[in-house]
Amino acid sequence: MTTLTIQSFQNKYDVNIGTGLRHEISDLLKSNYAKVFIITDSNVAPFYLKEVISAFGEDTAVSSEIVPAGEGSKSMACYSSLLDRCLELQLDRHSLIVALGGGMVGDLAGFVASTYLRGVDFLQMPTTILAHDSSVGGKVAINHHKGKNLIGSFYSPVQVIYDTEVIGTLSNQEIRSGFGEVVKHALLSDHKWFQRLMDTTLTEVNQEELVKHLTSGIKVKAEVVEADERETGLRKHLNLGHTLAHALEAEFGYGEITHGEAVAIGILFAMKISEQTIGADLPFQSYTRWLRHNNYPLHLVSQIDPERTVERMKWDKKTVGNAIHFVLLTQIGAPTVTALTDKKLIQIMTDFVKDEGGTFD
Amino acid sequence: MTTLTIQSFQNKYDVNIGTGLRHEISDLLKSNYAKVFIITDSNVAPFYLKEVISAFGEDTAVSSEIVPAGEGSKSMACYSSLLDRCLELQLDRHSLIVALGGGMVGDLAGFVASTYLRGVDFLQMPTTILAHDSSVGGKVAINHHKGKNLIGSFYSPVQVIYDTEVIGTLSNQEIRSGFGEVVKHALLSDHKWFQRLMDTTLTEVNQEELVKHLTSGIKVKAEVVEADERETGLRKHLNLGHTLAHALEAEFGYGEITHGEAVAIGILFAMKISEQTIGADLPFQSYTRWLRHNNYPLHLVSQIDPERTVERMKWDKKTVGNAIHFVLLTQIGAPTVTALTDKKLIQIMTDFVKDEGGTFD
Ligand SMILES: NC(=O)c1ccc[n+]([C@@H]2O[C@H](COP(=O)([O-])OP(=O)(O)OC[C@H]3O[C@@H](n4cnc5c(N)ncnc54)[C@H](O)[C@@H]3O)[C@@H](O)[C@H]2O)c1
Ligand SMILES: NC(=O)c1ccc[n+]([C@@H]2O[C@H](COP(=O)([O-])OP(=O)(O)OC[C@H]3O[C@@H](n4cnc5c(N)ncnc54)[C@H](O)[C@@H]3O)[C@@H](O)[C@H]2O)c1
Ligand SMILES: [Zn+2]
Ligand SMILES: [Zn+2]
């Protein structure tokens, strides 16, 4: 087991990463809780809910709620009914809310925990690769039909218990998705790690390698958010690949392309812009090969409509005024933020779609 | 104008208190905002909304929403529709949400501000006396049918602009209500101030005295919350009078007795317990006379059912386990927290109702 300690502006918490940790919860937990409420989803529950419930001690009353898997549960309706459930269970300020699932469950359960009785203890038990990113950094949220994550707060967990064994039941698409954020963290920090990833076939990663990748990813995320928890400066770098990603997700529909797959393609586009605007020399070709080798949905690139996509980017909460801010790379490990006009962006995107769209098919 | 500076765990903010400040908003505000969204209620709007809107500068786009006056608006439905409105208005992270109203509007608008885009700037413009208490300290919340303030967060305003002139349109009942919390702050801190209050007829307080009382009240509240923003220790003292108050509000119905009136009676009961359990020597008689002189609803005391009331207290989020925690006074300015068994509490309350209920009628 690897343990990282993270300092947020609210508290200090441990992230435990290792194989089989779901069976060791009562040993790992730093406090005792009389009442625990586990929130999970309909895909995760059949595999792991029973095991996690029984991993709590005998003196703990454990309840659970299974929400439907998928982004649809990150809704005001689901949030509100989970709060009703907390009250029915008479959870008090000394109770614990557990998120057992991927980023969806983490964001939803975290928002419930942050606002129930103005905040109760919250434990993250990530079950996806992508959740290495979402379980650290304190952002919790639900969606609105006008956009993703528009309602939420900053709220850190008291602990993160990350059992990498549960990754075994994840679909290949979700593995790809999670590695989209892993690649992002590598590009933000470390050339060697990025090279190692480029030599990796995602379906063949073993437990030991997985622990290493996730630990490195969490370290990068933690360093950035520790330096800037409220997203005024540095934290923006974590948006590498995300400006296009959000537009792709909206364009092709949640479900068609996962968040991390969209990020992986967004990164490719960010590399292209970096080359064309600031003259950066980046491994565009080897990264493209790796994406193709691991079945990222590159065929969607040829379907991008640049004008509409740029319009979408403009109603993204990361934009300020009319210029669109992009995270670029001057080289691996050296991100920078640049404002681009719509016009320039449409031009580069048009080239990107024309030059690369065909080769990907 | 008096200005206090308050340090919360999130930020540092000014509280400006004075006569006519609603006309000076654009001078007083520390930042410029392109978009401002004012949330107010149906009693306050006819008096002050227009004036406040026009007090913002020309470059500011000001929108507003008027919610129905009364606790009913502190609901999940109203919260959710205000968030919809924020999105319709395309408020972004650089926008300002203003609470123009009493504690109800402050709590509701504050909860909206704390969770819209994970938190946008929030200005409190208190319009009741009671709101001297609620506008400082960072607690924001909505109600649930299972109880008050069960859903919310800790979120500080960027500034508080408190125009004491608007108190002029407040009903006598609301003046009484607000002075319930003023008395509480006096009892927690300062014998002389309490004496001054005991010589005061509430309907005759002039602007100068009002500014003094509100400033002193905010100082007490601020000192306590600065020392303990997350209510683990000291902050409990602010619950003086509140354990009974919440039960009275629930028993007699919101509307029949206001929060501050209930607190004023709760304080009387806390004095009684303090005398009977720790032998404190408190101005029970002169305080009773003052309550009667100012028409606090003391007649309700004879209608208290001790057993049911104690049951209600037990499902109050301030209770831990089975003992009920009470804030008592060893003397004026010296609060202490004591746990009491149900049995003892019912006994003292029965005496209180019998001994005092009659004399109040
Ligand atoms: N808070 C943050 O900082 C942050 C950062 C990135 C993403 N997010 C959010 O995270 C969400 C995406 O995260 P995600 O990709 O983990 O999504 P997810 O939680 O929806 O999980 C993806 C799918 O995998 C299933 N699943 C999860 N664990 C499994 C397991 N061990 N075995 C089998 N199936 C499993 C889920 O049921 C779901 O169908 C989005 O809502 C996004 O907004 C938040
Ligand atoms: N956040 C906190 O720390 C905290 C502390 C104490 C109370 N509260 C909350 O505050 C609320 C009670 O506050 P309140 O007593 O100010 O209630 P309120 O906001 O409901 O105001 C009381 C009444 O006075 C009216 N009113 C307000 N200003 C007026 C004015 N200037 N002229 C004429 N009418 C006016 C209102 O419309 C309402 O009918 C409760 O919801 C309570 O839970 C919060
Ligand atoms: Zn992401
Ligand atoms: Zn109060």
Side-chain angles (χ1 to χ4, degrees), chain B residues 342-358:
Chain B
D342 303 11
K343 211 179 128 214
K344 181 80 187 166
L345 204 53
I346 291 175
Q347 180 221 307
I348 302 177
M349 202 182 295
T350 305
D351 289 353
F352 179 67
V353 171
K354 202 167 56 190
D355 295 352
E356 312 303 333

Side-chain angles (χ1 to χ4, degrees), chain B residues 41 43 71 74 102-104 107 127-128 130 134 139 166 169:
Chain B
D41 78 23
N43 288 340
E71 278 296 299
K74 267 175 69 174
M104 186 282 282
D107 279 12
T127 65
T128 64
L130 191 129
S134 57
K139 283 185 173 188
V166 308
T169 49

Side-chain angles (χ1 to χ4, degrees), chain A residues 82-101:
Chain A
L82 284 169
L83 288 169
D84 291 344
R85 188 75 206 287
C86 291
L87 284 159
E88 269 163 40
L89 293 169
Q90 303 199 354
L91 301 189
D92 65 20
R93 290 195 185 167
H94 308 276
S95 304
L96 177 72
I97 292 181
V98 179
L100 174 66

